[in-house]
Amino acid sequence: MIIAIDGPAAAGKGTLAQNLAKHFKYAFLDTGRLYRAVGYAVLQAGKDPSDEAEATKAAKAFDPKTINAILKNPALRDEATGNAASKVAVIPSVREALLQLQRDFAEHPFFEDGEPAKGAVLDGRDIGTVVCPKADVKFFVTASAEVRADRRFKELQDAGKPADYDKILKDIKERDERDSNRATAPLKPAEDAYVLDTSKMNAVQAYQAALDFIAIDHA
Ligand code: CDP
């Protein structure tokens, strides 16, 4: 069983994906973290995330065995890393290098301790369209840019980090633009995706709506 969750930045994909993974006892992969890890590696090397050769080298250097440890790095959550991620994500050879890894996880999902799971939840931008076009359930989670910026703002404030709403909104709009207009695997709902607009929902309501959909669709 594969559940694919796509959508723009800060739409609540991650929270929904984790809640569903817990509910069904499936393994979860936040594919954005893969792109973030590549962006982070390029920044750490003092290079430009738009540099095709550097970004591709970083993407190819991934060792699936150590993936959990790499993806745990808290620095991956920074906004600067998110922006670098969306720059490396435009490069087709970077996407290509990360594709098999994601498909392998979907086919043979495993938990953090290495134990195999009977299902997978993957969240990202192109899971339902490119990575797992045959996923059993597909969600496209979205919300207005203003609502998403407000959520990021509150997340940063709660974490005691500096937060500037206008800058966050500008970054989100820029990232939406880049993610939606790139030639390879752009952000868009799969034709058979269930679109969940969470602008007026909290995390619990979005989770409930997703469970209701799965119950009806897979009854
Ligand atoms: O958490 P947030 O929604 O801000 O972003 P993320 O899911 O961590 O992804 C960071 C960036 O990676 C996105 O802006 C996309 O450009 C890219 N990405 C992608 O291209 N394809 C994916 N499957 C996942 C992420």
Side-chain angles (χ1 to χ4, degrees):
M1 174 83 173
I2 299 173
I3 301 179
I5 305 183
D6 293 304
K13 306 180 298 291
T15 308
L16 176 62
Q18 288 183 59
N19 283 337
L20 290 177
K22 213 185 218 171
H23 179 88
F24 291 109
K25 299 194 173 64
Y26 293 166
F28 162 61
L29 180 65
D30 173 355
T31 66
R33 290 224 154 192
L34 296 169
Y35 291 90
R36 282 173 179 263
V38 174
Y40 181 72
V42 177
L43 290 180
Q44 285 294 99
K47 308 283 184 191
D48 176 0
S50 299
D51 183 323
E52 185 174 338
E54 286 298 328
T56 308
K57 194 170 81 184
K60 284 188 173 162
F62 260 127
D63 176 359
K65 286 193 208 85
T66 56
I67 205 160
N68 277 325
I70 295 167
L71 300 185
K72 266 194 187 149
N73 183 353
L76 297 188
R77 285 205 212 108
D78 294 349
E79 287 303 296
T81 315
N83 286 331
S86 99
K87 289 182 183 163
V88 301
V90 172
I91 304 169
S93 50
V94 167
R95 306 200 70 84
E96 181 64 36
L98 300 179
L99 185 59
Q100 199 53 45
L101 211 130
Q102 298 171 74
R103 285 190 175 151
D104 287 347
F105 180 85
E107 287 302 315
H108 305 285
F110 54 89
F111 293 107
E112 277 189 23
D113 61 4
E115 279 300 304
K118 60 181 183 338
V121 184
L122 289 89
D123 91 85
R125 301 290 188 288
D126 60 341
I127 309 303
T129 50
V130 175
V131 179
C132 303
K134 295 200 173 130
D136 303 271
V137 183
K138 297 180 186 177
F139 289 107
F140 190 83
V141 183
T142 187
S144 72
E146 286 72 19
V147 166
R148 291 185 282 128
D150 195 48
R151 287 182 190 155
R152 264 288 135 89
F153 177 74
K154 290 193 177 121
E155 244 172 57
L156 289 169
Q157 269 195 330
D158 289 348
K161 290 188 181 159
D164 172 345
Y165 176 84
D166 292 332
K167 173 152 190 336
I168 296 171
L169 181 60
K170 184 170 161 281
D171 281 354
I172 280 194
K173 286 186 173 167
E174 263 177 35
R175 205 129 70 84
D176 282 357
E177 175 81 13
R178 209 183 293 124
D179 289 351
S180 307
N181 293 320
R182 67 184 176 218
T184 311
L187 168 69
K188 64 166 185 206
E191 273 177 21
D192 51 347
Y194 177 68
V195 178
L196 197 60
D197 187 331
T198 68
S199 298
K200 296 196 175 111
M201 290 180 191
N202 62 29
V204 176
Q205 290 166 326
Y207 171 48
Q208 197 52 55
L211 281 182
D212 289 348
F213 172 74
I214 294 173
I216 293 166
D217 199 55
H218 283 74

